């Protein structure tokens, strides 16, 4: 039987799959569903300092081959997720990831301090890439602000953590972002990629945008972003040093795309749009499909093929 176990930032996951932050993880009932599922871990909805309702609906729509969303960070406020993390049972096999997405550096500092003070075994994924708050550019596309944020947050967090990145589309940007991240020993993983920001989906018949916020503009996810995700996973896998890992996310609908993410260099794989559409049963199905692919190809563990994509 193929071994799908992995470890991220020194913490073991029984298998490489978990939810992409934002999907099935805003409330405790959804997090309980993830715990019951065949996922290897779980991550909470990106938290802001205060609770938020998010943008007006409709704010998510499935598309042919993917999805569009402009949720606007609806979440229960970081204290809700801190309380959840405090009562989480760390003796069971799935580790807990917590996503933080402060609207300012000050908010990120306060939230990171609160988690550090609580001395918990959860792993922080700081989100540098929320594209859906009107009037707020994302940190991931501002190299100076990103370095300043890491300089401020790393000493507060004071243990290994990760950052969620937007997709990049230029080799010079891969180089610049990787060079910044490589300055921070404590950044032990990057999660690539957040949604491809600011697409516009229009209904042909009604000639109307599919979602309401931001004149219809929203982040794209699902199969339509697979190759962008694979490129970002591989670009960072090639550039990051000091044992830093990449978590792949984007376009995973079956075991096949998960296999490609690992081949590109992913050490774990998150599932967003497909989880939203199929529900947590997606984990059991995709896990089984990946096991079958590995058996057919003669791979026994993820290490056998991670990062081993061939080039011409
Ligand atoms: C939201 C979307 C994102 O892509 C993200 O990283 C965080 C939040 C949102 O719209 O809620």
């Amino acid at each position: 039987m193929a071994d799908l176990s992995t470890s991220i930032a020194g913490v073991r996951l029984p298998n490489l799959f978990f939810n992409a932050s934002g999907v099935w993880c805003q409330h405790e009932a959804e997090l309980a569903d993830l715990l019951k599922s065949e996922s290897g871990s779980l991550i909470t909805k990106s938290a802001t300092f205060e609770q938020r309702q998010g943008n007006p609906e409709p704010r998510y729509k499935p598309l042919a081959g993917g999805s569009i969303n402009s949720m606007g960070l609806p979440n229960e406020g970081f204290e809700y997720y801190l309380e959840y993390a405090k009562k989480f049972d760390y003796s069971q096999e799935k580790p807990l990831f917590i996503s933080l997405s402060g609207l300012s550096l000050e908010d990120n500092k306060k939230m990171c301090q609160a988690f550090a003070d609580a001395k918990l075994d959860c792993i922080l994924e700081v989100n540098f890439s929320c594209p859906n708050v009107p009037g707020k550019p994302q940190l991931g596309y501002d190299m100076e602000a990103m370095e300043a944020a890491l300089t401020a947050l790393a000493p507060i967090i004071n243990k290994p953590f990760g950052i969620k990145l937007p997709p990049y589309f230029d080799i010079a940007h891969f180089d610049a972002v990787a060079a910044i991240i490589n300055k921070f020993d404590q950044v032990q993983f990057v999660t690539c990629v957040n949604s491809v920001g600011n697409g516009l989906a229009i209904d042909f018949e009604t000639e109307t945008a599919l979602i309401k916020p931001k004149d219809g503009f929203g982040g794209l996810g699902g199969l339509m972003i697979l190759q962008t995700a694979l490129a970002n996973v591989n670009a960072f896998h090639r550039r990051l040093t000091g044992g830093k890992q990449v978590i792949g996310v984007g376009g995973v609908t079956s075991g096949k795309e998960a296999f490609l993410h690992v081949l590109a260099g992913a050490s774990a794989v998150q599932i967003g749009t497909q989880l939203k559409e199929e529900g947590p049963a997606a984990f059991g199905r995709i896990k089984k499909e990946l096991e079958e692919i590995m058996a057919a190809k003669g791979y026994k563990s993820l290490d056998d093929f991670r990062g081993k994509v061939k080039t011409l």
Side-chain angles (χ1 to χ4, degrees), residues 45 69 71-74 127 129-132 194-195:
K45 170 69 183 172
N69 85 83
M71 304 299 288
L73 274 166
N127 186 358
S129 51
C130 175
N132 296 334
N194 209 316
S195 54

Side-chain angles (χ1 to χ4, degrees), residues 104-114 116 124 126 128 139 143-159 161 163 180 183-184 186-187:
S104 66
L105 180 54
E106 282 315 304
D107 282 359
N108 272 331
K109 284 161 72 173
K110 286 190 284 185
M111 293 191 290
C112 288
Q113 186 64 253
L124 295 184
V126 185
F128 282 4
L139 221 46
M143 313 283 159
E144 281 179 21
M146 182 157 48
E147 182 159 358
L150 288 172
T151 302
L153 298 178
I156 296 173
I157 297 172
N158 199 26
K159 68 174 189 174
F161 68 101
I163 56 179
I180 291 168
K183 293 183 187 177
F184 296 89
Q186 267 188 66
V187 178

Side-chain angles (χ1 to χ4, degrees), residues 46-255:
S46 286
T48 51
F49 193 75
E50 306 280 0
Q51 187 265 352
R52 288 172 58 90
Q53 297 297 340
N55 293 337
E57 296 185 356
R59 57 192 187 180
Y60 167 91
K61 288 284 178 185
L63 304 174
S67 67
I68 186 165
N69 85 83
S70 181
M71 304 299 288
L73 274 166
N75 77 95
E76 304 308 303
F78 92 97
E79 280 175 5
Y80 178 93
Y81 303 102
L82 178 58
E83 288 310 308
Y84 180 79
K86 282 181 181 168
K87 63 189 182 205
F88 189 81
D89 174 11
Y90 295 95
S91 71
Q92 52 90 38
E93 62 175 1
K94 297 188 192 189
L96 172 66
F97 289 75
I98 296 283
S99 172
L100 298 178
S101 192
L103 296 177
S104 66
L105 180 54
E106 282 315 304
D107 282 359
N108 272 331
K109 284 161 72 173
K110 286 190 284 185
M111 293 191 290
C112 288
Q113 186 64 253
F115 273 90
D117 290 346
K119 298 194 190 316
L120 302 169
D121 286 332
C122 59
I123 304 157
L124 295 184
E125 181 188 90
V126 185
N127 186 358
F128 282 4
S129 51
C130 175
N132 296 334
V133 181
K136 289 267 175 189
Q138 51 171 290
L139 221 46
Y141 289 148
D142 181 339
M143 313 283 159
E144 281 179 21
M146 182 157 48
E147 182 159 358
L150 288 172
T151 302
L153 298 178
I156 296 173
I157 297 172
N158 199 26
K159 68 174 189 174
F161 68 101
I163 56 179
K164 176 84 168 270
L165 295 174
Y168 299 97
F169 304 94
D170 192 298
I171 302 297
H173 293 164
F174 292 136
D175 291 340
V177 173
I180 291 168
I181 293 168
N182 280 334
K183 293 183 187 177
F184 296 89
D185 288 345
Q186 267 188 66
V187 178
Q188 277 296 304
F189 67 92
V190 298
T191 304
C192 301
V193 294
N194 209 316
S195 54
V196 172
N198 292 305
L200 175 62
I202 305 173
D203 182 84
F204 174 76
E205 295 301 333
T206 64
E207 305 176 10
T208 306
L210 260 60
I211 59 171
K212 181 165 175 175
K214 293 174 58 183
D215 297 325
F217 283 52
L220 304 175
L223 196 55
M224 64 171 73
I225 74 161
L226 174 66
Q227 286 75 17
T228 295
L230 293 175
N232 277 261
V233 167
N234 190 57
F236 285 100
H237 176 73
R238 288 176 186 277
R239 285 168 178 76
L240 295 179
T241 56
K244 296 185 198 312
Q245 297 173 295
V246 183
I247 298 179
V249 52
V252 175
T253 69
S254 73

